[in-house]
Amino acid sequence: MLQDKIKQYTEEINQFQAAALADVEAFRLKFLVSKGIVKGLFEEFKSASAEDKRVLGKVLNEFKQLAEQKFAELQAPFESASANQKQAQEGDLTLPGNGFQLGSRHPLSLVRKEIVEIFKKLGFVVSEGPEIEDDWHNFSALNFPPEHPARDMQDTFFVEKKDENNIALRTHTSSVQVRMMEMGKPPFRAIMPGRVYRNEAISARAHCFFHQVEGLYVDENVSFADLKQTLYHFVQELYGEGTKVRFRPSYFPFTEPSAEMDISCTICKGEGCQLCKQSGWVEILGCGMVDPNVLENCGIDSKKYSGFAFGMGIERVTNLKYVIRDLRLFSENDVRFLSQFETELI
Ligand code: DAH
């Protein structure tokens, strides 16, 4: 009886085939779990006669081994299949990695950094001020007369109209000069980079926001010769030795005398090209000796102290390095443009 059953199940096991993992599980549930057939036969075996036990013990043990071995055989192909599947999902680990693309620095950031580095070596510190500014710091303290056209709605983005002291987006970084001088005592030697805003129609040559770097040097006995030498050195450092400079008289309310500085065209080296409109020269900044009125407005004794200031547009300086013909590219975030510039690991 027990022997018959063993014979019958042995046959069943020998013929058992698993088409799917579920069949393997069915096999296990039928034969190998604690309420399964193998265990059941061992239970039956307990009540067999001593004589039967002698014969059946060996047969039953072989049956158990057969069931376990069959289970392992049934399981094997599915295990290696699932290992293959796992590897396919994870990818081939022996392949070289894909790498990832690093961003690049914005050209304006690169040039700003370069400008700042040059002046830092001359002992200038970096200072910043707010982009939302009041009339006093943006205009009045800088000696702009009340009716000056730059204060006009056409040029300035107003945030809030107040009787005496309108709040607006700063139109230049010269406002930072005022904040710096109001807050401290001379000597001052600072470079002030930042974003500025003007109410202009956006085109290839003009934008409603751009970037400037302001410079200020105030101490006893500062002269126009100091101004010229500092800016000359700056240009040699930024555009290379041999770049020529020239100063043209100009007017700014906050400097007296005032000048604009041109450099020999960096593209044609002064020969004449489209960029310099065939003149061989390009303007890069405005400058001058700080007007005594400005010093006094900021609480500085203009009899004792004098100083020079300058301001330049970072976009313009960048154009002269990289020849970018459309200002709008700077703010469009087009990676085809941006990825052409230096990548820097921080
Ligand atoms: N603030 C002027 C502008 O936005 C630039 C400038 C000219 C700044 C002369 C100065 C300066 O400090 O001395 O056009």
Side-chain angles (χ1 to χ4, degrees), residues 171-174 177 198 210 212 214-215 252 254-255 259 285-289 308-312:
T171 59
H172 53 183
T173 44
S174 302
Q177 279 187 36
R198 287 187 201 170
F210 52 99
Q212 289 188 330
E214 191 79 11
F252 300 102
F254 36 92
T255 43
L285 56 80
C287 57
M289 300 306 291
F308 67 76
F310 56 88
M312 67 187 109

Side-chain angles (χ1 to χ4, degrees), residues 78-314:
F78 295 102
E79 273 192 339
S80 66
S82 81
N84 284 343
Q85 212 173 9
K86 215 167 150 204
Q87 197 182 20
Q89 271 166 9
E90 283 170 3
D92 183 348
L93 299 179
T94 62
L95 284 175
N98 285 331
F100 53 93
Q101 229 177 343
L102 288 174
S104 53
R105 280 203 190 267
H106 194 283
L108 293 177
S109 301
L110 286 173
V111 171
R112 181 194 54 210
K113 195 171 150 216
E114 226 178 311
I115 297 171
V116 166
E117 292 300 322
I118 296 170
F119 282 102
K120 266 191 183 167
K121 283 192 200 136
L122 295 176
F124 283 68
V125 297
V126 179
S127 181
E128 286 182 2
E131 290 182 17
I132 298 175
E133 194 48 287
D134 57 26
D135 184 277
W136 170 256
H137 292 95
N138 199 75
F139 296 122
S140 300
L142 288 164
N143 208 28
F144 279 80
E147 70 289 354
H148 194 282
R151 291 168 177 254
D152 207 347
M153 283 290 270
Q154 256 90 64
D155 286 300
T156 309
F157 284 118
F158 288 98
V159 174
E160 200 182 326
K161 286 269 189 186
K162 287 188 180 167
D163 300 341
E164 287 286 284
N165 202 5
N166 290 323
I167 307 294
L169 298 180
R170 69 179 175 197
T171 59
H172 53 183
T173 44
S174 302
S175 56
V176 190
Q177 279 187 36
V178 179
R179 290 196 169 266
M180 182 153 206
M181 288 194 281
E182 276 179 344
M183 274 168 41
K185 283 201 174 87
F188 298 107
R189 208 188 286 176
I191 189 96
M192 296 154 268
R195 184 177 282 180
V196 301
Y197 301 84
R198 287 187 201 170
N199 194 354
E200 304 222 20
I202 297 168
S203 70
R205 317 190 102 248
H207 213 294
C208 60
F209 75 84
F210 52 99
H211 301 79
Q212 289 188 330
V213 173
E214 191 79 11
L216 177 71
Y217 185 10
V218 177
D219 202 349
E220 289 178 41
N221 300 318
V222 177
S223 70
F224 203 93
D226 297 320
L227 161 68
K228 283 175 80 173
Q229 184 54 37
T230 304
L231 294 178
Y232 177 77
H233 171 78
F234 164 68
V235 168
Q236 304 307 301
E237 288 286 302
L238 189 69
Y239 292 111
E241 301 233 339
T243 311
K244 291 191 205 130
V245 303
R246 74 176 185 190
F247 290 83
R248 283 178 290 104
S250 184
Y251 172 78
F252 300 102
F254 36 92
T255 43
E256 184 59 38
S258 305
E260 276 168 320
M261 188 176 87
D262 298 340
I263 61 169
S264 50
C265 181
T266 51
I267 307 307
C268 64
K269 306 276 175 262
E271 298 275 298
C273 68
Q274 210 187 345
L275 188 95
C276 61
K277 302 201 191 80
Q278 310 306 327
S279 73
W281 294 95
V282 277
E283 183 203 319
I284 73 158
L285 56 80
C287 57
M289 300 306 291
V290 180
D291 193 301
N293 287 342
V294 175
L295 293 174
E296 295 293 337
N297 284 340
C298 300
I300 289 163
D301 183 355
S302 64
K303 303 261 177 336
K304 190 168 173 203
Y305 293 103
S306 58
F308 67 76
F310 56 88
M312 67 187 109
I314 303 183

